[in-house]
Amino acid sequence: MTTTVNTATQAEVTLDTDTVDTIAILEAVAAPSSRPKRAKVTWVQEDQGEWIAGYGGYFGGSVDKRGDRYVASDTFGLVVGDFGSLEEAQTKLEDQLHVMLPSVIRPVE
């Protein structure tokens, strides 16, 4: 299949299907996205040893300190993992939420 394009100068260009598909893909990739890549995650220390994640304005889960470890649980209460630092637990939960809840998009600040 070929596509013929008439330009303003009346020059005629014939493109094969593969070229048209490639151009369409390149345009789609190059098009700027008005949606942020990730929702904003906020952290609030609820209690001693308990941090609550807000994901795009919604409850995203929590990190609880248990002994010298930090246990991250997602928005559904499922354990994401057991970590040696608070930062590691928070980062892993944020990554998990972005995969689980990609349609929850709010401006990134």
Side-chain angles (χ1 to χ4, degrees), residues 1-66:
M1 177 180 153
T2 63
T3 301
T4 302
V5 179
N6 288 321
T7 64
T9 60
Q10 299 302 316
E12 192 172 280
V13 178
T14 301
L15 303 173
D16 62 84
T17 303
D18 289 337
T19 303
V20 172
D21 289 344
T22 301
I23 291 170
I25 291 168
L26 291 173
E27 285 179 347
V29 170
S33 173
S34 62
R35 296 179 61 174
K37 300 292 184 225
R38 288 185 177 236
K40 180 179 178 174
V41 178
T42 57
W43 288 96
V44 176
Q45 187 169 3
E46 187 69 20
D47 244 343
Q48 185 70 14
E50 181 183 18
W51 294 264
I52 304 297
Y55 185 80
Y58 301 95
F59 172 72
S62 65
V63 173
D64 298 303
K65 185 172 184 181
R66 296 184 186 162

